[in-house]
Amino acid sequence: MVSVPLSVSTDLAHGGRWTSLRAGGREWLWRRPEPRRPLVRPGDAFADAGGVEECVPTVRGAPDHGDAWSRPWHRTGDEEWVGCPDFRLARRLRTEADTLVADYRLTAAPGYRFLWAAHALLDVSPRATLTIPDGTPARLYPDEGARWTAGAWPLVDDVPLDRLGPDDGTAVGAVVTTDQVSVHDGGDTLHLSVEAPGHPVSVALWRNLAGFPATAPYRSIGVEPMLGRVFDLSAAGDNDAARVPASGETCWRLTLRATRTGEVP
């Protein structure tokens, strides 16, 4: 197993979206034509173009997929940032050896509660699998609502969440209480982890095996490191969301690594 350097591209004008994540000639991010994406305005329904969207302060609920993905971002020095009505979100992307590091800082009123997800849609084959320690607490969301079924990774309510195919016409979401996940596809592996001292962390999964939407369904796989333990902020319990401390600022880190079996071309 060898490490493969990662490179990233972002589109600041359109929500700060990550448009490319490449490793050794492989593109990890899935994308689809979505004519609405360049035209969105704050408050619009989510326009699913793929890549990685920054979802904050919620994923589901209102505003749909949060308030940051639909606004233009800006750059000051090495910092990319967006201003929203209730908060300011900033990030710095850099490489350290073969590791891609994204450092985040959110500024808001003390006590402000929020969710954040790196809404990463990945281009993986039906043979791809996920590795999370067996027995890790998980919440299965069998539909678009706020209800969930408690269980333990990888099998929740007879749904094998670690398998990313083949397409079978289903679509489920899950939130797994872990700070790291590995995505395996052939000889390639993408490792994602999140560090957020003082906040609940998890990894969300959106496993759409051509089951969504009801009309013109398509395949999309989301593996989403997040702060919080629910998709919808309005459904968050006392320990299910991040909270801004008295300083008015909180920080966290997303780390990505790629490895490959054999030699890197």
Side-chain angles (χ1 to χ4, degrees):
M1 189 74 69
V2 294
S3 294
V4 186
L6 279 165
S7 63
V8 63
S9 299
T10 61
D11 183 352
L12 296 187
H14 301 102
R17 174 171 160 257
W18 303 29
T19 55
S20 177
L21 182 67
R22 296 189 65 82
R26 173 177 181 144
E27 175 59 63
W28 275 101
L29 297 186
W30 170 88
R31 291 163 290 187
R32 66 187 286 265
E34 173 48 87
R36 293 186 300 118
R37 185 63 183 88
L39 307 174
V40 295
R41 297 292 182 269
D44 285 355
F46 187 58
D48 188 7
V52 179
E53 304 278 14
E54 305 284 0
C55 294
V56 59
T58 191
V59 183
R60 297 180 182 176
D64 187 11
H65 283 68
D67 210 15
W69 73 273
S70 59
R71 298 173 183 272
W73 284 50
H74 312 276
R75 178 176 284 114
T76 303
D78 64 350
E79 183 177 81
E80 301 173 342
W81 60 273
V82 62
C84 296
D86 297 326
F87 62 90
R88 181 184 188 271
L89 177 65
R91 73 184 179 206
R92 284 186 169 92
L93 300 173
R94 69 182 192 280
T95 55
E96 295 181 351
D98 293 335
T99 300
L100 177 64
V101 178
D103 284 318
Y104 291 86
R105 184 175 73 256
L106 186 138
T107 307
Y112 181 71
R113 299 178 80 227
F114 68 96
L115 307 175
W116 164 83
H119 188 274
L121 295 175
L122 303 182
D123 187 4
V124 292
S125 76
R127 300 181 303 278
T129 60
L130 301 177
T131 296
I132 290 172
D134 286 357
T136 301
R139 296 173 174 179
L140 174 69
Y141 290 75
D143 54 36
E144 283 292 290
R147 66 185 183 92
W148 47 269
T149 300
W153 183 269
L155 191 67
V156 181
D157 203 22
D158 294 326
V159 178
L161 295 173
D162 58 334
R163 302 176 191 171
L164 301 181
D167 295 353
D168 59 8
T170 65
V172 299
V175 177
V176 189
T177 308
T178 182
D179 60 0
Q180 55 190 303
V181 59
S182 295
V183 186
H184 310 279
D185 192 17
D188 291 309
T189 300
L190 183 66
H191 310 270
L192 307 96
S193 62
V194 60
E195 303 170 57
H199 297 304
V201 297
S202 58
V203 171
L205 170 65
W206 170 240
R207 198 185 70 176
N208 176 20
L209 303 179
F212 175 88
T215 58
Y218 53 87
R219 172 185 171 87
S220 59
I221 302 296
V223 180
E224 309 168 22
M226 68 183 298
L227 271 58
R229 298 192 181 116
V230 291
F231 284 112
D232 189 339
L233 181 61
S234 68
D238 290 342
N239 299 312
D240 287 337
R243 188 185 298 270
V244 175
S247 65
E249 181 178 285
T250 192
C251 300
W252 64 94
R253 173 173 291 180
L254 172 65
T255 303
L256 303 96
R257 293 189 305 109
T259 56
R260 176 170 292 169
T261 302
E263 295 184 358
V264 179

